[in-house]
Amino acid sequence: MEKLKHALPRLLCLLAALALAPACVVPACSQAAEADPAFPSRPLHFIVPYPPGGGNDLFARVVGQKIAENTGQAVIVENRPGAAGLIAGDYVARSAPDGYTFMVDQSSIATNPLIYKKTAFDVRHDLAPVIRAATLDNVILVSTASSIHSVKDLIEQARRQPGKLAYGSVGIGSSQHLAMELLSHQAGIKLLHVPYKGTAAAVTAVSSGEIQVFLISAATGQSYVKSGKVRAIATTGSKRSSIMPDVPTVKESGLPDYVNYNWLGIFAPAATPQPVVDRLNALFSKAMADRKVKNTLDVQGWQLVGGTPQALRDTVDGEMRRYEQIVREQNIRIDQ
C-alpha cells in the first residue's frame, strides 16, 4: 500500500502527459503545413500516368506552364506510364506529402480497384483529391456503310441478334469497355466485346465492318468522322458535345439515364495537409481560369470544371458506384 501511495503521483503525471499529447500533435501538424508561406518555393513535379501526346499529358503541359508563369517556379511534367495508371499512382502515393508532387489521372483511377485483383494503392485512402480538372465526352462510331444510323437502330439490331453485334475497345476494363457494357445493361441488350491493342486498330476494324461499333473520345473521333471512314451516331455526355453539336446524345436517343464521359482529376499524396491541398487547389483554379488555357483545351474537347477537393472525392465515389454492378455482373477482372 505504501508503494502504491508513492507511485500514484508518477502515474497521474503519466496519464496527464498522455491526455495532453494529442493537443501537442495538432499544432505540430499545423506548423508543418504553414512552414512554407511562399509555397511553392521550389520546382513542382507534375506526374502523368500515360505516355507523352495523350489528353492527360496535354492537360499537364498546358496547365503546368500557366502555373509556372503564375508562381515563378518550374513545373516539371514527368510521364510514368504503365499498368493503366497504377505505376504513377503508387509513385505519388509514396511521395513526400508536401504539395510538391501531384498527378493528373482519368476516370479509370476510380474503376481500377473494381477491376484489378491487386493494386499497389487505394485511391480513396492513399491519395488526396485536389481538384476536378476537366471532362471529355465520348462518341459512338459505326461504319459509313453500316445500316445503324442511331442508338435506336443499334438496340433494335442487337435485340434481333443477341451477342452477334460486336463493339471494340482498347482492352479489358478500359473506359470504352465499361461504357459500352453500361449502355448494354441499360438497354437490356447483349453485345460482343472485342478488345484491340490500340485506337487505330479498333477504328480500322469498325470502318471495315469487322466490328459494328466503337466508342472513343469526341476529340479523337471527330477527325475520323471528317475523314469519311466512320459515322457518329451519338455522344455520351449529359448534353450535346461542343465540338460535335449536330450529333445527338445517347440520352436523347432513347436511354434517358445514360451518361458517360472521361474526366481528369488532380491528386496528391494522402497525408498532404489540408492547407497545402487548398493551396494546390487555388493554383489550379487560377491557371484553369486563364482564357488562353481554356481556349487551348476547348479545341481538344476538354471542358474545364474546377471545384473543391470534396467535389473530386464525390466524383470518384460516384464513378465506383456507377460501375460496381457492371463489373460484378460481367465478371470484368484483371489479375496481375
Side-chain angles (χ1 to χ4, degrees):
M1 192 71 182
E2 187 67 23
K3 290 181 179 180
L4 179 61
K5 180 178 179 181
H6 287 292
L8 187 58
R10 293 181 182 179
L11 179 60
L12 291 175
C13 287
L14 177 61
L15 292 173
L18 290 173
L20 290 172
C24 296
V25 171
V26 173
C29 292
S30 297
Q31 289 172 7
E34 300 296 340
D36 187 5
F39 177 88
S41 58
R42 53 188 171 86
L44 298 155
H45 290 261
F46 202 166
I47 307 302
V48 178
Y50 303 95
N56 299 48
D57 184 70
L58 173 68
F59 177 90
R61 295 183 188 279
V62 171
V63 176
Q65 180 179 351
K66 178 51 63 174
I67 290 176
E69 292 174 5
N70 291 342
T71 63
Q73 295 295 332
V75 176
I76 301 168
V77 176
E78 183 179 348
N79 299 87
R80 286 181 169 262
L86 297 179
I87 292 174
D90 182 47
Y91 175 80
V92 173
R94 295 172 183 271
S95 296
D98 54 12
Y100 286 90
T101 301
F102 43 84
M103 69 182 288
V104 58
D105 205 354
Q106 57 197 35
S107 48
S108 57
I109 196 172
T111 54
N112 280 341
L114 304 175
I115 296 166
Y116 283 82
K117 186 175 182 180
K118 294 181 181 179
T119 57
F121 72 96
D122 186 324
V123 63
R124 294 163 297 182
H125 301 109
D126 299 325
L127 295 175
V130 174
I131 192 170
R132 295 183 300 168
T135 61
L136 178 64
D137 292 339
N138 292 314
V139 61
I140 300 175
L141 304 177
V142 299
S143 168
T144 51
S146 173
S147 60
I148 298 172
H149 291 266
S150 65
V151 172
K152 182 180 178 181
D153 288 344
L154 172 63
I155 293 172
E156 288 178 350
Q157 290 194 30
R159 285 175 177 166
R160 289 197 301 268
Q161 307 174 62
K164 299 295 184 180
L165 297 188
Y167 71 90
S169 81
V170 295
I172 295 173
S174 63
S175 60
Q176 294 116 321
H177 185 189
L178 297 181
M180 289 304 298
E181 287 300 327
L182 179 64
L183 187 150
S184 300
H185 175 79
Q186 292 191 7
I189 59 176
K190 179 67 176 177
L191 299 173
L192 176 64
H193 174 223
V194 182
Y196 290 86
K197 290 185 177 180
T199 296
V203 171
T204 298
V206 74
S207 64
S208 67
E210 181 178 311
I211 57 176
Q212 285 68 55
V213 184
F214 182 52
L215 180 145
I216 193 173
S217 73
T220 304
Q222 70 172 341
S223 61
Y224 290 109
V225 172
K226 289 178 180 178
S227 73
K229 294 181 178 180
V230 290
R231 181 171 60 243
I233 63 170
T235 54
T236 63
S238 58
K239 59 183 180 180
R240 293 198 178 196
S241 170
S242 60
I243 59 175
M244 303 183 82
D246 295 331
V247 179
T249 65
V250 175
K251 288 183 67 172
E252 294 177 77
S253 306
L255 293 178
D257 296 327
Y258 186 87
V259 175
N260 168 268
Y261 52 81
N262 295 320
W263 52 262
L264 298 182
I266 308 300
F267 298 87
T272 306
Q274 192 59 47
V276 177
V277 170
D278 291 341
R279 290 187 212 173
L280 283 175
N281 181 282
L283 289 181
F284 274 94
S285 295
K286 182 177 180 180
M288 287 159 52
D290 180 80
R291 184 175 298 277
K292 185 177 179 181
V293 168
K294 292 180 70 173
N295 290 343
T296 300
L297 294 172
D298 280 349
V299 171
Q300 300 299 319
W302 288 107
Q303 301 295 314
L304 298 180
V305 181
T308 65
Q310 184 61 46
L312 176 55
R313 186 180 299 279
D314 292 342
T315 297
V316 170
D317 291 343
E319 195 82 352
M320 297 186 80
R321 288 193 300 269
R322 183 193 305 270
Y323 290 105
E324 186 174 18
Q325 181 182 357
I326 300 297
V327 169
R328 184 176 63 252
E329 289 181 352
Q330 299 301 319
N331 193 28
I332 303 172
R333 299 289 290 173
I334 297 176
D335 298 334
Q336 62 167 24

